[in-house]
Amino acid sequence: MLEDAARRRTRVELSEPVRARVRASRDVLERFVQEERVIYGVNTSMGGFVDHLVPVAQARRLQENLINAVATNVGAYLDDTTVRAIMLSRVVSLSRGNSAITPADLERLVEVYNAGIVPCVPEKGSLGTSGDLGGADGLRPTGSAGWPSQKRQSVAVPPSSSRPVRAEYRVCAAP
């Protein structure tokens, strides 16, 4: 089903119940941070360093360092349909409202998907407890290496975002 939707370049829209779940999840995380609760991977380090608290002011850097540390995928790039199916599965997963993603970041992923922008994701990489973190690096517009492509195009993605990001990408044929 995901592959068919990706192949047909089915447009994605987030429903109001999805938006409400995602916002509620994020609100819980933000409340817990304000209450100074200890939250694994948010204000603690990970793995063997779990006992090390990270100041809230450094939380974003912690997340970026995690992705950068596992962004080691190599090999040929996955084909466009596969990457679009991965992007779509990520939208479905994040729409459940369990991840505390910011609503703006989920909207950005949907906008990128709907615009036909296909990140270049290498086919081989490591698997972490949160999924394939190396491959996930390729799906984020702020990927550690940008979005490399054989057709080096550059754009602010997406223009409606409050935080435009320069990225390199491939563009699929219009839906």
Side-chain angles (χ1 to χ4, degrees), residues 35-116:
E35 294 171 357
E36 298 183 1
R37 293 190 187 194
V38 175
I39 308 164
Y40 179 78
V42 173
N43 57 8
T44 73
S45 195
M46 290 150 264
F49 298 103
V50 68
D51 293 330
H52 297 270
L53 291 178
V54 176
V56 172
Q58 295 295 317
R60 182 177 183 88
R61 186 170 184 191
L62 173 70
Q63 297 300 311
E64 290 169 354
N65 286 344
L66 170 64
I67 295 294
N68 291 339
V70 297
T72 58
N73 284 23
V74 296
Y77 295 130
L78 296 171
D79 64 272
D80 289 358
T81 299
T82 300
V83 175
R84 287 179 59 78
I86 292 168
M87 293 172 75
L88 190 53
S89 69
R90 193 74 184 126
V91 168
V92 169
S93 175
L94 294 170
S95 293
R96 292 186 177 130
N98 297 321
S99 72
I101 188 172
T102 65
D105 284 345
L106 180 56
E107 288 285 349
R108 178 180 286 188
L109 180 57
V110 169
E111 288 173 1
V112 167
Y113 177 87
N114 284 339

